[in-house]
Amino acid sequence: MGRTNDSMLREFVLTGLSAHPELQTVFFVLVLCMYLMILLGNGVLISVIICDSHLHTPMYFFLCNLSFLDICYTSSSVPLILDSFLTVRKRVSFSGCMVQMFLSFAMGATECILLGMMALDRYVAICYPLRYPVIMRKSAYVPMAAGSWAAGIVDSVVQTSLAMQLPFCADNVINHFVCEILAILKLACADISINVISMAGSNLMVLVIPLLVISISYIFIVATILRIPSTEGKHKAFSTCSAHLTVVIVFFVTIFFMYAKPKSKSSAGTDNQDIIDALISLLYGVMTPMLNPLIYSLRNKDVKIAVRNMLGRKNFSDGI
């Protein structure tokens, strides 16, 4: 395989499901429907939280950030995915590929950290309910959310910068739907040890540490709930955490399949394995953002009441 300097590499080619044309139309319709549901569900959730003053609390502030993140993440990759289903071999410029990779990685890393912050919020709410308004003041939860965004963006800048410095092989074909960092690293014609070490550090910061924070927080939360004497009190306390816990399980189980073990070029799998990895990536990138608003609306009484009130006001205004 020939080697080319990164300054000479003008574009990448995304194969997507080109080897399985019979699946392209099906997946195009499926992903398009899921993307529209993501925009609608998360858009409605953001609107409800902004319009209903009863939801102007730290938990719903974090949830609003989560929904906005999901819209940004999917919008950075899904249009490219849909285009790849319509094109046999989708060509993407080098700079365009790096920008898309940066945005997707930044949004994913930010969401990991934000879920950890949301767990801390639930921990304080359940374990220290009387002190909750004092501890989770606006001067506390706004910097927590801003810090999540900043950490995700900085992490993505580091990973993208390191990837851009690599020399790439003449074969610029990416066995993926999008410019995904692990698929990009497989094309490098140089030692990627620094990238692997950097990815391991990234995994520690945005995967392991938030997951530890979530696990420890829920250990204390469960211990506190079990000490509540009444069954009704236990159910009410757990209901405030169940939606977040469900989202965490869906999100981290999927993302660990992708990023827990960075692969070097020498360990690249077969084409079938690449397709499986790409489909897992697609599941993570589209399914999770689609489920988040459904989970929070179906398992949260406050959100359901707020949605009904907003729809009721709309119907009333239409009647007038």
Side-chain angles (χ1 to χ4, degrees), residues 118-270:
M118 294 173 74
L120 288 176
D121 172 70
R122 292 299 82 207
Y123 162 73
V124 177
I126 299 299
C127 299
Y128 302 98
L130 299 180
R131 297 174 57 189
Y132 179 72
V134 177
I135 298 174
M136 294 301 295
R137 300 185 304 272
K138 189 174 183 178
S139 59
Y141 65 78
V142 171
M144 289 169 67
S148 301
W149 282 89
I153 291 172
V154 169
D155 186 30
S156 185
V157 167
V158 172
Q159 304 307 326
T160 305
S161 299
L162 289 174
M164 290 179 66
Q165 295 173 17
L166 292 171
F168 292 96
C169 296
D171 183 5
N172 60 346
V173 176
I174 301 175
N175 293 315
H176 211 282
F177 303 106
V178 294
C179 297
E180 198 267 338
I181 189 166
L182 297 184
I184 294 288
L185 293 181
K186 291 180 180 179
L187 302 181
C189 289
D191 183 15
I192 61 171
S193 299
I194 294 178
N195 301 78
V196 172
I197 293 172
S198 179
M199 282 290 291
S202 174
N203 288 340
L204 177 64
M205 185 181 77
V206 304
L207 284 177
V208 178
I209 292 179
L211 193 56
L212 282 176
V213 170
I214 293 169
S215 301
I216 294 172
S217 296
Y218 272 99
I219 288 173
F220 284 103
I221 288 172
V222 171
T224 301
I225 291 176
L226 291 178
R227 289 198 297 267
I228 299 176
S230 66
T231 303
E232 182 181 354
K234 291 179 180 178
H235 177 74
K236 183 178 179 180
F238 184 73
S239 65
T240 65
C241 305
S242 59
H244 174 258
L245 186 59
T246 304
V247 168
V248 165
I249 292 173
V250 172
F251 181 83
F252 277 97
V253 166
T254 309
I255 200 173
F256 260 99
F257 274 105
M258 292 175 56
Y259 294 114
K261 295 180 179 179
K263 298 177 182 179
S264 64
K265 176 177 174 293
S266 60
S267 63
T270 62

